[in-house]
Structures are given as C-alpha cells and as structure tokens.
Amino acid sequence: MKLLKVLILMLVTSGSCVVAKPLDPTPADLKFVLYYPQVPPYMYQDETTQKVVGLVPEILQDFFQQQNIAVHYVSDNRTRAEHRLYQGEVDAILLAKEWTQHPEKLLFSEPLLEHKDYLLARHPIAAQAQLPELIKGKTVCTRQYYIYEALEPYFSSNETARVDSSSELTQLKMLLNGRCDFAFINEHVANWLLHHHFPDEALYRSALGFNAVALTVAFHPRWKPKLAAFNLYLQEQRQQGTIEQWLKFYVTKSRIWN
C-alpha cells in the first residue's frame, strides 16, 4: 500500500511539473519609427518592394521573433518621433542618448554600432590640416535641425557659414552643385549614398572624423522587462560580427576616396 501511494505521488508530481512548464511569451506589438527622410543603410524602404530594410531591421527581426513580438514600422520625422515616444504613442526609435531632450524619460539599449561624421569635398583635403583652418571662411552643407558639436563654435562666430538641407542626399547634391564647400555627413550614410546614387562621382573625405556617436535603440519605459535580454542579444551579435556583416552588405563598398 505504501508503495502504491508513493507511485501515485510521483505521478501527480510529474503531472504538476508538466502543467507548470513556462508557456510561450504572450504575443505583443511594437511600433518602431522609420524616420522620414529615411536613413540608409540603417533603415529605409526598398523602392521596389516597399519593404523596410537595412541594418537595423535585420538585427531587430531575429530578437523580436524569438520574443513573439510583431514589429510595425511607423513613418515620422525625427523631432515628432521623439515626442511621440515620450507620450507612449510609439515604442522604440533609433536614437543616440545625447540627442534627446529628456533622456531620463527613456530606456536606451547597448550600442548597435558607432559612427563619426566626416567632411566631404570635391577636391582633396589636406591630411594634416586642422578643422578650423579647413572651414574658416567656407560654407558647410548640414542637415536641418541637427546640432554638430564640432562645428557649432565656428557657426556661432560666423567664421563658417551653415547651409541647411532636408536630407543627406540633398547635402551631397548641393555639394556636387557647388552650393557649399563641404558636406558634413555620417560616414555610413555617405558611403551608401555615394555607392547607390553617385557611383561615378569622386569625392574626398577628411582624414579625421568628428562627433563620434553610439547609435542605440531608445525604448518607452514600458519595455523595461525586455531590455536586459535585448542588450544580451546585441552583445552576441557584435561578438559574432553579425552587425558589421549586415552593415557591409547594405553599404556594399565605399565610394569615398581618401
């Protein structure tokens, strides 16, 4: 009789373990902002398929599939998207912490990658020349509303003229049309644009890069339970070289000649 009771207890306990097994995560939706103007090679819509492609979607999709989260891309401009994130109208955007107005109100992931801005010109740039002597009395094509820490002192003192444009593509068009002496652009974006839009144009890059920035994903605080797992995932992707591989895939090859 005692043996029978023990067997029954073992069966009940075994059954309880099966019932207690964790279930798959509850399906969830995440609204991720696709900037307009778009920012290839990070995130943009393929002209043929209209599918959102780029380094960021490639890196995001595996993690969120594992977490049973459906990602929906929502188009918006940079400034409005940040305010919508504070309000919880969207869930995440690609953003550097130092660019935000209220970083304390958001959660920031580990960096996906880092980038620098470079001066681009139609003529060779002296490798030994310092920034002040390069841009003094010159015009620089920039993105509207962007703050460039390396250039701000020269813009403020009127030593250098700032010429704003709506996108990096427009910056390069203005540079090639002679409307400015230099364009100041993110290295990855410039490489993509030169390869895909201006493959026959020879532009020259400054020897030094400026405004080093680590790009992160900024989340609304409600996504805090997922942040640790997301950061671990990003660390693994960097260690495996996956992020760098996707960057090279979308940029293909640099068309900037030093």
Side-chain angles (χ1 to χ4, degrees):
M1 181 63 71
K2 289 184 178 180
L3 179 60
L4 179 60
K5 288 182 178 179
V6 170
L7 291 173
I8 292 173
L9 180 60
M10 289 175 63
L11 288 171
V12 171
T13 304
S14 176
S16 299
C17 290
V18 172
V19 173
K21 182 179 179 180
L23 300 175
D24 291 334
T26 303
D29 293 323
L30 182 143
K31 294 180 180 178
F32 201 106
V33 173
L34 172 67
Y35 286 137
Y36 183 83
Q38 296 175 22
V39 188
Y42 302 140
M43 294 177 66
Y44 62 102
Q45 279 185 297
D46 182 270
E47 293 181 353
T48 303
T49 65
Q50 296 303 303
K51 179 182 177 181
V52 178
V53 297
L55 164 70
V56 175
E58 296 289 359
I59 296 301
L60 293 180
Q61 67 176 357
D62 285 345
F63 174 79
F64 288 116
Q65 283 177 0
Q66 294 169 13
Q67 298 290 321
N68 205 13
I69 297 171
V71 179
H72 305 279
Y73 292 100
V74 181
S75 296
D76 212 334
N77 67 48
R78 159 72 181 79
T79 303
R80 189 163 53 233
E82 181 179 340
H83 289 288
R84 291 181 67 188
L85 186 59
Y86 294 137
Q87 299 301 319
E89 296 176 11
V90 295
D91 299 294
I93 58 179
L94 186 66
L95 191 63
K97 188 173 184 178
E98 55 265 44
W99 295 346
T100 58
Q101 293 183 350
H102 304 288
E104 73 282 357
K105 295 183 179 180
L106 303 175
L107 300 175
F108 295 89
S109 74
E110 293 282 331
L112 276 76
L113 76 167
E114 295 185 354
H115 74 79
K116 293 182 180 179
D117 293 327
Y118 285 84
L119 285 170
L120 301 183
R122 290 164 290 159
H123 52 77
I125 302 174
Q128 303 304 318
Q130 298 298 308
L131 183 62
E133 60 183 299
L134 282 175
I135 64 174
K136 185 175 182 179
K138 305 294 185 180
T139 54
V140 181
C141 281
T142 53
R143 272 290 302 269
Q144 189 176 25
Y145 306 123
Y146 276 33
I147 297 175
Y148 301 95
E149 293 182 3
L151 303 181
E152 287 305 320
Y154 310 103
F155 292 151
S156 299
S157 64
N158 295 318
E159 294 179 54
T160 304
R162 174 174 181 156
V163 183
D164 278 344
S165 61
S166 60
S167 68
E168 285 85 354
L169 176 59
T170 306
Q171 281 180 260
L172 287 183
K173 287 181 177 179
M174 293 169 67
L175 174 64
L176 291 168
N177 290 333
R179 295 184 59 186
C180 51
D181 299 299
F182 297 101
F184 199 64
I185 304 182
N186 172 318
E187 59 184 305
H188 303 142
V189 177
N191 286 348
W192 188 93
L193 288 170
L194 288 168
H195 180 79
H196 291 274
H197 289 271
F198 309 102
D200 299 320
E201 298 289 349
L203 291 178
Y204 299 85
R205 191 175 76 175
S206 59
L208 295 178
F210 308 90
N211 297 340
V213 173
L215 287 179
T216 63
V217 176
F219 290 95
H220 186 272
R222 63 172 165 263
W223 290 92
K224 186 175 181 179
K226 299 293 183 182
L227 187 61
F230 184 61
N231 284 337
L232 180 60
Y233 170 79
L234 290 181
Q235 290 174 12
E236 294 171 348
Q237 297 302 300
R238 286 198 304 272
Q239 291 171 359
Q240 295 168 5
T242 307
I243 293 177
E244 188 64 29
Q245 289 172 10
W246 279 120
L247 180 61
K248 289 180 179 178
F249 174 82
Y250 279 101
V251 171
T252 62
K253 62 179 179 179
S254 173
R255 296 290 304 202
I256 298 178
W257 291 266
N258 291 313

